């Protein structure tokens, strides 16, 4: 199955694929973390039959229902158990200075005190990514740390 990625300047990314039964489906990932699920018309492949807006929580629930490992759910439960622990999924935009660079290049833990515990790319979870893991546009980087450390990581990944 081919997954097409299209950059949407000022918006984010769109990923499209065609099912085995010929239905075209897409997802728009905005810079703000929202998602739009697109179901294209069978008669006109450029027209949408339905567009469903999803916030971050709804997108995660849908991903779980479709089979994404439950790493984020486990982290949420851990966050509830440990006061002061923050967990966040930070999306890497195409303007980030770390696109094409490695986790080791970013030195997130030493610079912010937060830890990268997973990377989600195209629905696939990479738990405990190695320092050699390369970042790509649209990656969701799951970070755990203090609230300040998580915020500093988001700023670092956005602006360097």
């Amino acid at each position: 199955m081919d997954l097409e990625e299209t950059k949407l300047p000022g918006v984010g990314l769109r990923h499209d694929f065609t099912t085995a039964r010929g239905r075209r489906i897409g997802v728009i990932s905005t810079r703000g973390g929202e998602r739009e699920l697109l179901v294209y018309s069978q008669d006109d492949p450029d027209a949408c039959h339905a567009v469903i807006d999803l916030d971050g929580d709804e997108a995660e629930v849908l991903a779980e229902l479709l089979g994404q490992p439950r790493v984020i759910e486990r982290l949420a439960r851990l966050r509830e158990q440990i006061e002061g622990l923050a967990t966040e999924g930070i999306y890497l935009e195409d303007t980030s200075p770390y696109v094409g660079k490695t986790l080791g290049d970013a030195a997130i833990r030493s610079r912010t005190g937060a830890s990268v515990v997973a990377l989600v790319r195209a629905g696939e979870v990479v738990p405990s990514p190695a320092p050699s893991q390369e970042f790509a546009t649209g990656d969701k980087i799951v970070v755990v740390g203090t609230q300040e450390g998580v915020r500093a990581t988001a700023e670092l990944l956005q602006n360097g």
Side-chain angles (χ1 to χ4, degrees), residues 116-139:
V116 174
V117 296
L119 182 139
V120 182
R121 178 179 294 156
E124 295 292 319
V125 176
V126 178
S128 302
S132 60
Q133 176 69 52
E134 219 175 85
F135 291 129
T137 299
D139 283 351

Side-chain angles (χ1 to χ4, degrees), residues 9-24:
V11 176
L13 291 173
R14 185 182 75 217
H15 292 92
D16 297 310
F17 70 96
T18 303
T19 68
R21 293 184 176 159
R23 291 300 306 257
R24 190 164 165 86

Side-chain angles (χ1 to χ4, degrees), residues 53-71:
D53 294 317
L54 301 170
D55 66 22
D57 291 336
E58 294 164 338
E60 285 183 24
V61 168
L62 182 59
E64 277 190 36
L65 290 172
L66 295 174
Q68 175 180 331
R70 299 179 183 221
V71 171

Side-chain angles (χ1 to χ4, degrees), residues 6-15 26-38 51-56 59 89-95 137-140:
T6 306
K7 291 181 183 179
L8 303 172
V11 176
L13 291 173
R14 185 182 75 217
H15 292 92
V27 175
I28 294 177
S29 304
T30 68
R31 292 180 172 202
E34 293 86 18
R35 301 282 193 276
E36 291 180 4
L37 180 61
L38 312 170
V51 177
I52 302 166
D53 294 317
L54 301 170
D55 66 22
I90 301 167
Y91 288 91
L92 201 65
E93 298 179 15
D94 60 350
T95 57
T137 299
D139 283 351
K140 181 177 185 179

Side-chain angles (χ1 to χ4, degrees), residues 36-149:
E36 291 180 4
L37 180 61
L38 312 170
V39 180
Y40 292 95
S41 170
Q42 288 180 305
D43 301 327
D44 181 356
D46 294 325
C48 283
H49 174 72
V51 177
I52 302 166
D53 294 317
L54 301 170
D55 66 22
D57 291 336
E58 294 164 338
E60 285 183 24
V61 168
L62 182 59
E64 277 190 36
L65 290 172
L66 295 174
Q68 175 180 331
R70 299 179 183 221
V71 171
I72 295 175
E73 178 184 314
R74 289 185 208 127
L75 290 172
R77 275 187 275 159
L78 180 61
R79 178 176 40 187
E80 290 172 4
Q81 296 170 2
I82 302 174
E83 186 149 340
L85 183 67
T87 305
E88 179 131 0
I90 301 167
Y91 288 91
L92 201 65
E93 298 179 15
D94 60 350
T95 57
S96 171
Y98 291 101
V99 170
K101 302 229 169 144
T102 66
L103 176 58
D105 293 334
I108 292 169
R109 186 173 171 148
S110 61
R111 293 171 74 183
T112 69
S115 297
V116 174
V117 296
L119 182 139
V120 182
R121 178 179 294 156
E124 295 292 319
V125 176
V126 178
S128 302
S132 60
Q133 176 69 52
E134 219 175 85
F135 291 129
T137 299
D139 283 351
K140 181 177 185 179
I141 298 143
V142 182
V143 180
V144 175
T146 63
Q147 193 66 27
E148 299 81 33

